[in-house]
Amino acid sequence: MKKFNLFLSALALIVFVGCEAGDDDKLPTGNKSGKKDTSGSAALIVTNGTSSDQSNTNKNVTGNNNLDSRYEMPHIVGGNGNYILIRSTEAYGINYVIEWNNAKKAQRWTAFQMYSGNSGSSWNRNNWQYQTDNEWAMLNLQNYRYGDPFQPDPDLPVEYRTELSDYRGSGYSRGHICASADRLNSMEANEQTFYLSNIMPQTSKLNEGTWANMENQVRKWNSNKYRETLYVVKGGTIDDQHLLSPTSSGLTVPEYFFMGIVSKLSNKYRGIAFILEHANPAKNGTSPKNYVFSIDQLEQMTGIDFFCNLPDDVEKEVESSVDRNFWGM
């Protein structure tokens, strides 16, 4: 792994206003305010302010509680050059959140929670090939011989979004960031993972190899032994220093893919990160334990301030080191 450099890095203009959701919003019956999240998806344009909370000096201050209180959220760049994409379902609330860079037509990150209440398996990905009323599943079945409902993001303006045609002949697979297998609690939640805003170009070697092993490892941690809640952030690097050559269709291709995970268990928080080189995904073998970093190291590489809504003292502790024994790494 090459040496990483440290990248130095109010009110919100809200296109869509989501309902309030606190960190303890973990049940499909709603949150502590008694409101439910609106089903579906929407794009936000937000301006991030400066925190006056001395116990949390780097938290998000956008005016949208979904972004300002949930512990999985990284620090948002915001502004007119970025959309915040919030996915939700009526039954399960927030599905995942993305910060989308309009100029690069690529996401900075996808953030979501995993816990018992949203980890059901009432849906199976193989069912898509039989959903004849889903135009995207049928289109993909016709063109690619499997019926997954990959589709352009319905909330992004056409000039900023990626299209199915961008991947055709590109040499890259359509790699999920929030994995399909992490959202099997309903047909609706699973379909949202196939929006192309949640997809990044990955070599098939990475997508089907070490990255898949890392995804499987995170699902193993999604159990009562390891968490009451897992706070997860995933993505690929899109800063200019960490890009591979773009595709002929203009797809932004990350040099690295990453995962940052925080577990909350019995009021104890623990953190771990994975960093994976795109062009050499099995450099140290395919076991996730060979790609473990601290969240501080992940921040140094990406320039992203992860888990910024955690109180500063908790954030400092979980990001500075990795309890390998706890994680089984």
Side-chain angles (χ1 to χ4, degrees):
M1 187 70 65
K2 65 176 65 176
K3 182 179 180 181
F4 299 129
N5 295 318
L6 176 62
F7 298 101
L8 300 177
S9 63
L11 294 176
L13 173 61
I14 306 293
V15 177
F16 165 87
V17 179
C19 75
E20 293 185 352
D23 172 57
D24 58 351
D25 177 19
K26 298 183 174 62
L27 299 176
T29 51
N31 55 56
K32 61 185 178 182
S33 68
K35 301 177 183 178
K36 285 189 177 182
D37 297 292
T38 301
S39 177
S41 59
L44 318 177
I45 298 175
V46 304
T47 299
N48 209 352
T50 302
S51 173
S52 60
D53 184 349
Q54 294 305 304
S55 66
N56 198 345
T57 56
N58 63 330
K59 68 181 293 186
N60 287 316
V61 184
T62 68
N64 184 300
N65 203 41
N66 285 324
L67 309 179
D68 296 347
S69 66
R70 294 174 68 92
Y71 286 167
E72 71 272 24
M73 297 300 301
H75 197 77
I76 292 169
V77 173
N80 291 330
N82 299 276
Y83 277 101
I84 303 300
L85 306 171
I86 296 182
R87 310 302 185 203
S88 64
T89 69
E90 185 175 358
Y92 292 93
I94 297 295
N95 199 15
Y96 62 83
V97 180
I98 285 174
E99 182 159 24
W100 182 261
N101 183 290
N102 295 338
K104 294 185 176 179
K105 295 184 179 181
Q107 61 159 279
R108 295 182 69 234
W109 44 259
T110 293
F112 55 97
Q113 295 182 10
M114 301 173 76
Y115 51 89
S116 296
N118 70 357
S119 298
S121 56
S122 63
W123 182 253
N124 188 307
R125 180 172 176 172
N126 293 330
N127 293 342
W128 285 115
Q129 62 187 309
Y130 307 112
Q131 303 304 307
T132 57
D133 58 344
N134 186 297
E135 62 176 314
W136 295 108
M138 292 301 99
L139 179 66
N140 280 278
L141 185 62
Q142 176 183 349
N143 292 338
Y144 300 100
R145 291 183 291 183
Y146 52 87
D148 292 327
F150 287 102
Q151 58 191 277
D153 192 297
D155 296 305
L156 285 172
V158 173
E159 63 268 28
Y160 297 139
R161 75 187 191 189
T162 54
E163 304 288 347
L164 291 170
S165 58
D166 293 330
Y167 284 86
R168 186 185 292 272
S170 69
Y172 289 98
S173 298
R174 296 174 289 191
H176 280 77
I177 303 303
C178 178
S180 167
D182 290 341
R183 288 297 186 252
L184 299 177
N185 55 52
S186 69
M187 176 179 174
E188 181 182 12
N190 189 250
E191 181 171 11
Q192 290 175 358
T193 70
F194 288 93
Y195 291 167
L196 291 183
S197 55
N198 183 50
I199 304 299
M200 299 191 86
Q202 294 183 337
T203 63
S204 58
K205 184 177 180 180
L206 178 140
N207 184 252
E208 298 170 12
T210 312
W211 182 254
N213 292 344
M214 290 178 176
E215 291 180 320
N216 288 334
Q217 181 61 63
V218 174
R219 281 189 284 276
K220 290 177 182 177
W221 288 332
N222 185 30
S223 70
N224 292 335
K225 177 181 177 181
Y226 291 100
R227 61 92 183 106
E228 293 158 13
T229 303
L230 286 182
Y231 304 99
V232 182
V233 186
K234 298 166 63 178
T237 55
I238 65 168
D239 57 290
D240 292 339
Q241 296 92 333
H242 292 304
L243 289 175
L244 300 180
S245 298
T247 67
S248 59
S249 61
L251 288 172
T252 296
V253 183
E255 183 180 13
Y256 296 95
F257 282 88
F258 61 83
M259 302 183 186
I261 303 102
V262 168
S263 163
K264 178 185 178 184
L265 181 64
S266 300
N267 292 319
K268 173 71 174 178
Y269 293 82
R270 298 174 177 88
I272 191 171
F274 294 129
I275 302 174
L276 184 59
E277 190 175 353
H278 193 178
N280 200 359
K283 180 177 181 179
N284 299 319
T286 59
S287 173
K289 69 181 181 181
N290 298 324
Y291 300 89
V292 170
F293 291 82
S294 70
I295 295 169
D296 276 345
Q297 290 172 309
L298 179 59
E299 291 183 331
Q300 185 179 23
M301 190 270 283
T302 61
I304 298 172
D305 183 2
F306 293 97
F307 307 106
C308 67
N309 291 337
L310 283 168
D312 289 341
D313 57 342
V314 176
E315 182 184 0
K316 181 179 180 180
E317 181 179 358
V318 301
E319 293 185 352
S320 61
S321 62
V322 179
D323 184 346
R324 284 180 175 263
N325 288 331
F326 171 80
W327 296 104
M329 293 284 106

